Amino acid sequence: MPQKELKKVSFVIYEEDKEAFLRELQEKEIFHISDLRSSSLAEKFPDLIPEERFKDGEAEELIKKLEKILDLLKPYVNEEKGLLGQFIDLKISVSTEEYKRVVESFNLKEIDEIYNWGEELYHLKNKLVELTDKLNFYEEWKALKIKLSDLEVLKNVTLKIYKLSVEEEELKEKIKELPVDFYTIFEKEKKKGMIFLIYKGFEEDFRRILADYQVEEVNFKGEKEEPEEIVSKCREEIEKINEKISEVSEKIKKKGNEYKKYIILYDYFLFRLKRAEVLNKSLGTKKVLILEGWVEKENQAILQSLANSYEGVELTWVEPEKGESIPVKLKNNPLSSPYEAVVRLYALPKKEEIDPTPFVALFFALFFGFCMTDAAYGVILIAACFYLMPRLPEGRKYLWIFIGGGILTVFAGAITGSWFGSNIEMAFPELSWFKNFREKFMIFDPFSNPLDFLKLSLVFGVIQIFTGLVISIIEKIKRGKFYNAFTNEISWILFFLLLGLYMLADLRILRPFLFIPIFVIFLFSGESKSWIIKIAKGGFTVFNGLISFLGNVLSYSRIMALGLVTAGLAMSINILAKIVRDLIPGVGILFAIILFIFGHLLSIGINTLSSFVHTMRLQFAEFFSYFYEGGGEPFEPFGLVGKYIRIEKRRF
């Protein structure tokens, strides 16, 4: 399919209309902005590059504050997120009227007030932790009925306070030769809190004795009062702080009902930052701004009308420069457009390249289906995607990909006889009638005939690789490289077609003709003025081509492998369900049903992910290697893409 036609635009915007025009341009979401600061115009007129980068300091500061406000309010949000919302941060739908109302009525003082509550709460909680630690510490020393300041006035005695694990009798025995007295203040969890009075000059001897024990020296940090008084004051302060925390938390809780307002404001300031980023792609002077970019042809009139509505805006339609990189906007039909998301994961095509999306759409769905290979799994996957469709608007393209894959999964599962595996009646004899239904559609059993499944997988690979070669031929002919196409892709296709006919139909008459395309590749595919280098390149092309083709085709055996894994896992779950049912008479069927449901749900999740990843790998590594380079710049309109909200029906 062709890419959408884009038109290049240049704007000259005068200062008085700059803010209003950029805001409305952002709301239209139709204009892709180019970076003029790295353009040829900037090279010709370096004086047009502003000396400093544009900043929106207010927006940056408020975004930081709003991030903290949202963290504060989130625990008190009353909105029901639903099961899906527990795992995914879903964007909230906001009407244009609500968005405009919130933005126009926001109160900067209110934001500062809530932010300050958060700062206050942070400091209060830190103080609470400090006081709690202090309380716990002095709680142990409450039995010490002396002001701690009195311990500092001893002149001939060194006072040491320790927590240690030791038996008093043992300690007495060890220090009996030393002028040391000690008092045990408390014992907790085999540790004792002890005060030691050591006469001056004997400190080192005492330290050597204590080296045999696990000792923790205690420091009262200049406290003057008795431990019991300290504990009492700590409790009073903790009570006051808890009251203050409750008071501030209650204020924050009341604001939880306005959470939506603050996420709208967050995204509003995010949009402002994006407008500042636009200015950093522009050229200009203090009074004039120059912007360049691209618009879809179908939106030309809208952009022209917008520019005409401002006296201080001049629009000029510009012809692209020779060799200029043009953004890419893909154009596909509704069936294949969801698969643009897969192509984007690799890279968009360059402007002159063919768009591989329609081919990816066909092969991706087919390979995904045969990797899953269970009809019941396909039905559940389709149902789940349709359930998520209205709840996950940002992921609709991927959901449609899974729906397409689910449809082919139903087909693949039906022809291989897998509906929750091929032995559901083993676990539930009540469903024995299902066997007849399953066998009506079954064409082959992959476990009885794995070789047939392998052949089918390899045929898929040959067809896709041949498709890649044909696309490459078309691409080269379009660029006038018919000779190169003939000595490479066309010759390879002829060789593999002749080889296939020779092997499948045993047409020995074809044997001599097999070498003609190989000789063409060997002698003429290399590009060089020297025949020696030309033949060397051709020899490498032959060797590399044969090895690559064989390796790439064999890589498609993963389709069979994943299909067998899915079917095998499903059968194993059914066998486990039967074992559970037989082990527990009576209620065993209930446990078997639970195991069946959760086991197959887990299997669907694992195999969906595995099928998606491996199918994607076949496109990127095997298919694209024959014709596709990619590297196009995506067409990304300057718009209102928020972190939290999705604005509906933008009519400002």
Side-chain angles (χ1 to χ4, degrees):
M1 295 293 290
Q3 299 174 15
K4 287 197 174 182
E5 186 178 352
L6 304 179
K7 295 294 183 180
K8 188 176 180 181
V9 189
S10 177
F11 284 109
V12 175
I13 308 165
Y14 291 89
E15 181 66 27
E16 57 268 20
D17 284 330
K18 180 181 73 176
E19 185 63 32
F21 176 74
L22 287 179
R23 184 169 59 250
E24 197 167 351
L25 185 65
Q26 186 178 31
E27 291 161 4
K28 295 292 184 186
E29 294 190 318
I30 59 173
F31 184 59
H32 173 99
I33 296 173
S34 301
D35 189 353
L36 270 180
R37 298 193 183 185
S38 57
S39 67
S40 57
L41 184 63
E43 292 177 5
K44 291 179 185 177
F45 304 100
D47 291 344
L48 292 177
I49 302 175
E51 294 180 3
E52 297 182 359
R53 288 181 61 83
F54 289 97
K55 278 187 168 185
D56 189 336
E58 182 187 43
E60 288 178 356
E61 182 183 352
L62 285 170
I63 277 180
K64 289 177 183 176
K65 287 184 176 180
L66 284 164
E67 280 178 349
K68 292 189 176 180
I69 287 172
L70 293 177
D71 286 339
L72 280 175
L73 300 183
K74 204 166 189 178
Y76 306 110
V77 176
N78 295 324
E79 293 179 4
E80 183 60 48
K81 297 178 71 176
L83 180 62
L84 186 63
Q86 305 302 319
F87 302 97
I88 304 173
D89 283 331
L90 301 174
K91 289 187 179 181
I92 296 174
S93 180
V94 176
S95 69
T96 54
E97 293 76 15
E98 183 180 12
Y99 173 80
K100 188 174 182 180
R101 175 171 48 77
V102 170
V103 168
E104 289 178 350
S105 63
F106 95 90
N107 189 330
L108 186 59
K109 289 183 179 179
E110 185 181 0
I111 291 175
D112 286 336
E113 183 180 34
I114 300 173
Y115 177 79
N116 290 335
W117 290 344
E119 291 293 289
E120 184 180 3
L121 196 62
Y122 173 78
H123 292 300
L124 285 170
K125 287 182 177 179
N126 280 346
K127 183 66 177 174
L128 183 63
V129 170
E130 289 177 15
L131 285 170
T132 303
D133 289 342
K134 186 175 180 180
L135 172 67
N136 293 335
F137 175 77
Y138 284 103
E139 188 85 42
E140 296 178 331
W141 297 93
K142 277 201 308 183
L144 185 60
K145 302 296 183 181
I146 185 172
K147 289 186 177 181
L148 298 177
S149 57
D150 293 345
L151 299 175
E152 298 174 1
V153 299
L154 302 171
K155 293 182 179 179
N156 299 318
V157 175
T158 300
L159 183 138
K160 290 288 183 181
I161 306 172
Y162 294 108
K163 287 173 72 173
L164 70 164
S165 299
V166 66
E167 293 296 331
E168 289 190 19
E169 294 303 319
E170 179 186 344
L171 184 61
K172 283 179 182 178
E173 183 64 28
K174 289 208 172 189
I175 64 173
K176 65 182 181 180
E177 303 295 333
L178 297 177
V180 175
D181 290 324
F182 66 85
Y183 304 90
T184 299
I185 307 302
F186 70 88
E187 183 173 357
K188 184 179 179 182
E189 296 176 356
K190 296 184 179 180
K191 277 200 170 185
K192 294 181 174 66
M194 306 179 74
I195 293 180
F196 293 90
L197 302 172
I198 311 151
Y199 282 84
K200 301 279 187 182
F202 293 90
E203 294 91 348
E204 186 62 28
D205 295 329
F206 178 71
R207 188 188 63 78
R208 281 197 293 270
I209 290 172
L210 286 192
D212 296 334
Y213 303 98
Q214 290 183 347
V215 175
E216 176 188 341
E217 187 170 357
V218 176
N219 184 356
F220 287 132
K221 300 176 183 177
E223 294 285 354
K224 306 297 183 185
E225 298 166 320
E226 290 185 19
E228 191 169 9
E229 293 176 3
I230 296 172
V231 167
S232 178
K233 287 186 176 179
C234 282
R235 284 179 175 154
E236 288 176 9
E237 287 188 58
I238 287 173
E239 187 177 347
K240 289 178 183 177
I241 288 176
N242 278 326
E243 287 176 1
K244 189 65 178 173
I245 288 174
S246 296
E247 181 185 327
V248 176
S249 296
E250 191 60 33
K251 291 178 184 177
I252 294 170
K253 184 178 179 180
K254 288 178 181 177
K255 289 291 181 181
N257 295 327
E258 300 180 30
Y259 181 77
K260 187 176 181 180
K261 177 173 81 173
Y262 295 106
I263 64 173
I264 291 173
L265 287 175
Y266 179 95
D267 277 348
Y268 163 72
F269 289 110
L270 186 66
F271 299 154
R272 274 183 41 174
L273 284 185
K274 288 183 178 180
R275 291 202 289 274
E277 290 172 11
V278 167
L279 297 177
N280 289 313
K281 292 182 178 180
S282 67
L283 299 175
T285 65
K286 289 183 178 180
K287 294 189 176 181
V288 174
L289 186 74
I290 302 172
L291 275 184
E292 268 189 7
W294 304 84
V295 65
E296 294 177 47
K297 185 179 180 181
E298 61 199 58
N299 291 325
Q300 274 185 280
I302 298 173
L303 195 63
Q304 184 72 63
S305 175
L306 176 63
N308 293 343
S309 65
Y310 288 87
E311 290 185 7
V313 176
E314 296 178 10
L315 178 150
T316 307
W317 299 102
V318 183
E319 286 298 317
E321 297 177 11
K322 188 176 181 180
E324 183 177 2
S325 176
I326 300 174
V328 174
K329 174 75 172 179
L330 301 181
K331 180 183 179 182
N332 289 286
N333 61 52
L335 287 176
S336 58
S337 61
Y339 294 86
E340 291 174 5
V342 175
V343 175
R344 278 176 171 269
L345 290 174
Y346 184 84
L348 286 174
K350 295 178 181 176
K351 196 65 183 175
E352 66 278 2
E353 271 190 306
I354 194 168
D355 176 12
T357 304
F359 307 101
V360 170
L362 173 63
F363 290 117
F364 198 99
L366 182 65
F367 297 169
F368 182 97
F370 277 88
C371 285
M372 285 281 281
T373 320
D374 190 283
Y377 285 10
V379 171
I380 292 172
L381 183 59
I382 293 167
C385 289
F386 277 116
Y387 171 78
L388 294 174
M389 198 69 71
R391 295 166 175 80
L392 198 60
E394 291 80 18
R396 281 180 180 171
K397 280 198 170 185
Y398 285 103
L399 292 175
W400 280 115
I401 290 171
F402 285 119
I403 288 171
I407 293 169
L408 269 294
T409 299
V410 174
F411 170 75
I415 67 172
T416 56
S418 184
W419 298 76
F420 290 119
S422 58
N423 63 341
I424 188 172
E425 60 276 4
M426 177 183 288
F428 304 101
E430 298 85 352
L431 299 176
S432 57
W433 57 268
F434 193 76
K435 184 177 180 182
N436 294 328
F437 170 80
R438 185 174 63 238
E439 290 178 351
K440 282 182 182 179
F441 304 99
M442 185 174 174
I443 295 176
F444 73 96
D445 183 350
F447 286 99
S448 300
N449 304 292
L451 197 57
D452 290 344
F453 201 175
L454 176 61
K455 288 176 182 177
L456 181 63
S457 301
L458 298 182
V459 167
F460 287 160
V462 170
I463 292 171
Q464 187 173 43
I465 288 171
F466 269 47
T467 303
L469 289 170
V470 170
I471 295 171
S472 182
I473 292 168
I474 295 170
E475 288 269 82
K476 287 184 176 180
I477 291 174
K478 277 168 55 180
R479 297 175 195 171
K481 296 182 177 181
F482 180 80
Y483 176 81
N484 186 280
F486 178 76
T487 58
N488 280 280
E489 286 83 359
I490 293 174
S491 296
W492 278 119
I493 289 175
L494 287 172
F495 170 73
F496 288 119
L497 284 175
L498 290 170
L499 181 63
L501 288 170
Y502 172 71
M503 293 176 66
L504 295 174
D506 196 23
L507 298 175
R508 299 194 177 186
I509 193 172
L510 295 177
R511 187 183 294 174
F513 296 99
L514 278 171
F515 297 97
I516 295 175
I518 291 294
F519 277 126
V520 171
I521 298 167
F522 185 77
L523 294 174
F524 303 108
S525 65
E527 295 182 4
S528 176
K529 293 180 179 179
S530 168
W531 271 98
I532 296 174
I533 296 174
K534 198 170 188 177
I535 291 171
K537 285 184 175 181
F540 177 77
T541 301
V542 170
F543 174 78
N544 187 57
L546 289 170
I547 296 298
S548 296
F549 182 83
L550 179 63
N552 288 340
V553 170
L554 289 175
S555 186
Y556 287 81
S557 63
R558 72 183 64 238
I559 296 174
M560 175 206 70
L562 289 169
L564 291 177
V565 166
T566 306
L569 183 56
M571 291 170 65
S572 300
I573 293 166
N574 296 336
I575 292 169
L576 286 173
K578 172 181 169 47
I579 293 171
V580 168
R581 183 174 181 176
D582 293 344
L583 282 175
I584 312 172
V587 295
I589 187 171
L590 178 62
F591 289 104
I593 290 171
I594 293 171
L595 175 61
F596 178 87
I597 292 171
F598 283 99
H600 283 291
L601 285 176
L602 179 62
S603 178
I604 290 170
I606 292 171
N607 287 297
T608 298
L609 178 61
S610 181
S611 298
F612 183 87
V613 170
H614 286 282
T615 301
M616 185 169 60
R617 185 201 177 283
L618 289 174
Q619 311 310 306
F620 294 171
E622 275 69 42
F623 184 43
F624 284 177
S625 64
Y626 284 93
F627 71 96
Y628 189 63
E629 183 180 347
E633 178 189 358
F635 177 81
E636 295 177 339
F638 171 49
L640 301 174
V641 181
K643 180 178 179 181
Y644 294 106
I645 66 171
R646 179 180 62 259
I647 302 175
E648 303 290 350
K649 298 179 182 179
R650 302 182 184 99
R651 297 188 303 269
F652 298 102

